[in-house]
Amino acid sequence: FKNSVVYLCEHVEQGAMGFIINYPVKLTVHELLKSAESISHEPTPPITEPVFLGGPLDMVRGFVLHSP
């Protein structure tokens, strides 16, 4: 977690939940959606924002942070 910027969502006695928001990977949201078997919707125009690597603890799950 060195040099990480963490968006902290919850911090309780049982643990914490947060997202690392400063490590973009070479993948756009559009590319991610095209490769996801369970998602058939393709937004128009394509979403070209980068995907960020959220942390080393749970690499099999993804989350989307967005405005309302």
Side-chain angles (χ1 to χ4, degrees), residues 4-66:
S4 296
V5 176
V6 179
Y7 181 83
L8 192 59
C9 301
E10 181 177 48
H11 190 270
V12 294
E13 286 185 23
Q14 293 80 16
M17 169 71 172
F19 301 100
I20 298 174
I21 59 172
N22 65 323
Y23 288 121
V25 294
K26 293 181 181 181
L27 182 69
T28 66
V29 173
H30 177 71
E31 294 165 333
L32 178 66
L33 291 175
K34 284 183 76 169
S35 67
E37 295 175 10
S38 63
I39 300 174
S40 60
H41 176 72
E42 289 191 34
T44 304
I47 303 170
T48 57
E49 282 78 11
V51 173
F52 289 82
L53 182 62
L57 299 179
D58 191 354
M59 298 298 287
V60 297
R61 201 172 296 201
F63 294 91
V64 178
L65 299 178
H66 60 87

